[in-house]
Amino acid sequence: MAKYLLLKHYRGAPAPANDVPMDQWTPEEISAHVQYMDDLAARLVETGEYVESQALAPEGTFVRFDGEGRPPVTDGPFAETKDLIAGWMVIDVDTYERALEVAAELSAAPGAGGKPIHEWLELRPFLGCHPTITE
């Protein structure tokens, strides 16, 4: 089995088919979206493929070490909003093809109007876990 990270971005990939920002969704649409992801995670728990997932708030702070005895630097550089990560899911699957299937299913979460978002997700294998595909 190999672990994969599925990254959800606020923006930064090609526009999805249902490109209405979440802050414009109704509370019911947000609930349906979250429930879809919870249901997918529950199915992956049953198959032993689920590791973890988290949603992230859009705000954040950049911090870097600036030398012994000096406070950390938090004033930039600032990433553009399109580069921020909205959340992630970690899966542990037998094949790369299965990782693609799970990513595609997550991409189909409902958005505005209850229609699938078809959002782009970034699928990345964990370092040290060799991909299960050959080039």
Side-chain angles (χ1 to χ4, degrees):
M1 303 222 5
K3 289 184 181 170
Y4 289 88
L5 177 65
L6 293 96
L7 288 172
K8 294 174 66 72
H9 296 273
Y10 283 109
R11 287 184 289 281
N18 189 354
D19 195 21
V20 178
M22 192 178 235
D23 63 0
Q24 296 175 21
W25 296 0
T26 66
E28 295 79 17
E29 291 167 341
I30 292 171
S31 293
H33 181 80
V34 171
Q35 187 63 56
Y36 180 96
M37 291 187 294
D38 288 346
D39 291 346
L40 174 59
R43 287 193 307 276
L44 294 172
V45 166
E46 290 175 11
T47 63
E49 297 172 312
Y50 178 83
V51 177
E52 72 167 308
S53 60
Q54 287 291 322
L56 299 173
E59 60 275 346
T61 302
F62 278 84
V63 177
R64 74 174 169 88
F65 177 73
D66 201 32
E68 287 295 327
R70 299 179 69 179
V73 176
T74 58
D75 187 25
F78 299 104
E80 295 182 35
T81 303
K82 69 179 182 179
D83 297 326
L84 295 175
I85 298 170
W88 71 83
M89 179 179 281
V90 177
I91 57 174
D92 194 358
V93 294
D94 287 328
T95 65
Y96 175 73
E97 289 75 18
R98 177 63 181 145
L100 291 174
E101 289 173 4
V102 173
E105 190 171 349
L106 185 59
S107 170
K115 296 179 182 172
I117 298 173
H118 298 290
E119 71 178 323
W120 289 91
L121 298 171
E122 185 177 351
L123 177 66
R124 296 181 63 182
F126 276 35
L127 185 63
C129 295
H130 300 289
T132 54
I133 61 169
T134 57
E135 294 188 38

